[in-house]
């Protein structure tokens, strides 16, 4: 049977009927340990009772009114985000790409409001991923996403990460902002050093630029802080958030200082669905859990444990794992074998992991995963590596059928 779905995804022959915490239950009757969390979306795992309660209670009241009217739960969620970050204002959207589009528009509009409309270029960094719209694929700059969609949207310049001289060389009178992920997720779980982030802040301050952090994958507790920028001591002017903030419900947000947002006046931006009552109820429920005393500390502790156990795994299987990357509960394994082969072999062990650029396998477990389940994950990763090694040995034996 040919699916009526547009064939833009290489979907695994696997579907799920329910989930609980870090576990998924397949329609094949098997139970899978989920280290993908829907690509860092299900921050609190599957069917978290507090999120389920918040969603069902709101669903029985009102789903959608549009932003023509007040949405009190949205006001509350925005206030909580402002109180716990650098920001003064929040704009709610439905996705990370929309949050990044808002950030890009805000940076351009800032300079327009200052009387400098020629300052609309945004410098981004090679290997970045900022979304799939025409604007955000141009921001990411990766040819594989740009190919076939006509001329690249103008106004984006890419330089290598950590290359301060290349960055200085591209900054000019046209430059409006610098935009970076503190850890590149899709790009291969590649961390940006705190020193480089501090250099970015200094460059922005000296050149009158805005600093944009894309924390769509690293935010909402993923690294052990509410947002990854906190590790560096650097505060952005604008920040995009999505994925974990909705705990599985479509929700994005663009946070900004009052100065950075001053050009976003009445009618300059909008959304029909963004900030709807259902999303706001779930977003507040997510923060209820994430902001509980001790929760972020537990994520940091589990992240350190995971990193240590992954380093031991690499030592045991050097022919499979070349490098361990990441921080907190966003970890990456750069594999010797094709990462697609590793993802498939892990699935045979009833373990869900996700591929990324630079031949990396991402591990993005729900933040609520227990240390016991992390131990189970390591055992299944170990079994995955062993299965790959066994297949390699069999293939290298003389006389083995190819």
């Amino acid at each position: 049977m040919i699916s009526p779905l547009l064939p833009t995804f290489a979907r695994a022959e696997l579907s799920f009927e329910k989930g609980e915490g870090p576990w998924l239950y397949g329609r094949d009757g098997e139970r899978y340990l989920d280290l993908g969390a829907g690509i860092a979306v299900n921050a609190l795992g599957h069917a978290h009772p507090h999120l389920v309660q918040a969603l069902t209670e709101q669903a029985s009241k009102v789903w959608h009114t549009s932003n023509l009217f007040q949405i009190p739960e949205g006001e509350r969620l925005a206030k909580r985000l402002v109180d716990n970050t650098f920001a003064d204002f929040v704009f709610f959207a439905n996705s990370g790409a929309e949050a990044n589009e808002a950030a890009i528009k805000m940076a351009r509009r800032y300079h327009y409001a200052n009387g400098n409309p020629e300052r609309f270029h945004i410098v981004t960094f090679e290997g970045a991923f900022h979304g799939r719209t025409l604007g955000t694929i141009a921001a990411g700059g990766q040819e594989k996403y740009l190919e076939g969609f006509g001329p690249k949207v103008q106004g984006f310049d890419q330089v290598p990460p950590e290359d301060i001289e290349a960055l200085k060389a591209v900054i000019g009178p046209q430059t409006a902002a610098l935009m970076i992920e503190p850890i590149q997720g899709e790009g291969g779980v590649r961390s940006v050093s705190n020193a480089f982030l501090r250099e970015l802040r200094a460059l922005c301050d000296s050149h009158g630029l805005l600093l944009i952090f894309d924390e769509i994958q690293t935010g909402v507790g993923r690294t052990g802080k509410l947002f990854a920028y906190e590790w560096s001591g650097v505060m952005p002017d604008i920040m995009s958030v999505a994925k974990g903030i909705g705990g599985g419900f479509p929700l994005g947000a663009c946070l900004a200082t009052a100065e950075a947002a001053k050009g976003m006046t009445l009618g300059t931006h909008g959304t029909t669905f963004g900030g709807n009552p259902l999303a706001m109820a779930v977003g507040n429920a997510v923060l209820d859990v994430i902001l509980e005393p001790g929760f972020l500390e537990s994520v940091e502790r589990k992240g350190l444990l995971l990193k240590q156990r992954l380093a031991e795994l690499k030592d045991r299987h050097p022919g499979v794992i070349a490098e361990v990357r990441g921080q907190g509960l966003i970890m990456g394994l750069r594999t010797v074998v094709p990462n697609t082969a590793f993802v498939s072999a892990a699935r045979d062990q009833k373990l869900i992991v996700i591929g990324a650029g630079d031949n990396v396998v991402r591990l993005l477990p729900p933040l609520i995963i227990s240390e016991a389940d992390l131990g189970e994950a390591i055992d299944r990763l170990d079994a995955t590596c062993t299965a790959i090694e066994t297949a390699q040995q069999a293939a290298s034996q003389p006389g083995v059928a190819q």
Side-chain angles (χ1 to χ4, degrees):
M1 177 180 175
I2 298 175
S3 171
L5 294 172
L6 195 68
T8 54
F9 293 100
R11 302 176 194 266
E13 292 295 326
L14 181 62
S15 62
F16 303 101
E17 61 179 349
K18 67 175 183 177
E20 183 178 358
W23 295 92
L24 280 167
Y25 296 82
R27 296 181 185 276
D28 59 359
E30 298 285 354
R31 188 173 80 145
Y32 295 78
L33 184 52
D34 183 8
L35 294 194
I39 317 182
V41 167
N42 301 315
L44 302 182
H46 302 279
H48 191 285
H50 188 58
L51 270 62
V52 171
Q53 180 182 5
L55 181 62
T56 52
E57 285 185 359
Q58 186 60 51
S60 68
K61 298 175 183 177
V62 60
W63 292 20
H64 176 79
T65 61
S66 88
N67 289 293
L68 296 174
F69 303 96
Q70 299 288 324
I71 302 175
E73 281 296 285
E75 295 279 349
R76 177 171 176 253
L77 181 55
K79 180 67 163 57
R80 296 172 81 184
L81 288 170
V82 164
D83 287 347
N84 287 281
T85 67
F86 70 95
D88 300 305
F89 291 110
V90 180
F91 178 88
F92 289 117
N94 307 288
S95 67
E98 289 177 73
N100 275 335
E101 287 280 353
I104 292 164
K105 289 178 69 175
M106 186 180 290
R108 291 183 171 194
R109 186 79 181 183
Y110 169 80
H111 291 285
Y112 173 86
N114 284 342
N116 300 301
E118 75 282 359
R119 300 186 71 173
F120 66 91
H121 279 240
I122 296 176
V123 182
T124 61
F125 295 86
E126 292 174 5
F129 182 86
H130 296 299
R132 295 279 196 163
T133 65
L134 286 174
T136 53
I137 61 173
Q142 296 192 49
E143 187 57 41
K144 65 181 179 181
Y145 299 125
L146 290 163
E147 183 183 4
F149 295 111
K152 176 184 172 183
V153 173
Q154 64 175 340
F156 298 96
D157 305 301
Q158 280 83 36
V159 297
E162 305 279 353
D163 190 336
I164 196 68
E165 295 307 318
L167 177 57
K168 290 177 179 178
V170 81
I171 292 174
Q174 78 285 355
T175 308
L178 311 180
M179 183 176 187
I180 194 166
E181 302 158 277
I183 301 174
Q184 290 186 348
E186 299 284 339
V189 193
R190 293 189 286 192
S191 297
V192 178
S193 70
N194 291 334
F196 187 67
L197 294 178
R198 288 192 285 269
E199 287 185 296
L200 298 189
R201 180 70 271 175
L203 276 175
C204 286
D205 292 343
S206 63
H207 289 274
L209 311 177
L210 297 179
L211 180 58
I212 306 170
F213 282 173
D214 178 338
E215 290 237 26
I216 289 164
Q217 195 157 146
T218 56
V220 198
R222 179 59 52 185
T223 65
K225 299 285 189 184
L226 185 58
F227 292 101
Y229 77 82
E230 297 173 55
W231 293 104
S232 69
V234 169
M235 289 192 293
D237 303 294
I238 303 171
M239 181 171 70
S240 53
V241 182
K243 291 187 181 288
I245 188 64
F249 196 93
L251 174 57
C254 180
L255 282 62
T257 64
E259 175 65 13
K262 69 181 184 181
M264 303 301 283
T265 53
L266 188 65
T268 56
H269 195 50
T271 171
T272 296
F273 292 105
N276 69 73
L278 283 173
M280 298 299 91
V282 177
N284 273 304
V286 168
L287 285 192
D288 289 344
V289 178
I290 298 285
L291 295 178
E292 284 179 354
F295 183 89
L296 291 171
E297 290 79 2
S298 76
V299 174
E300 184 180 0
R301 183 180 66 251
K302 287 182 285 192
L304 289 171
L305 173 63
L306 178 59
K307 193 167 193 174
Q308 179 184 28
R309 297 295 305 277
L310 291 174
E312 295 169 357
L313 196 69
K314 173 185 174 295
D315 290 342
R316 287 200 301 276
H317 303 283
V320 179
I321 300 173
E323 183 185 355
V324 176
R325 300 173 174 177
Q327 182 178 5
L329 293 179
I330 173 170
M331 297 300 297
L333 303 175
R334 186 168 65 83
T335 55
V336 178
V337 299
N339 63 351
T340 51
F342 192 100
V343 169
S344 179
R347 198 178 303 130
D348 290 340
Q349 301 299 324
K350 307 301 180 284
L351 182 69
I352 305 297
V353 296
I354 299 173
D358 202 27
N359 204 46
V360 163
V361 173
R362 273 177 291 180
L363 312 179
L364 303 160
L367 306 184
I368 50 81
I369 192 170
S370 67
E371 292 186 12
D373 283 336
L374 279 178
E376 178 65 26
I378 292 296
D379 289 344
R380 296 187 186 207
L381 286 168
D382 195 8
T384 299
C385 293
T386 299
I388 290 171
E389 290 164 341
T390 300
Q392 289 173 329
Q393 292 167 1
S396 67
Q397 294 299 316
V400 173
Q402 300 297 315

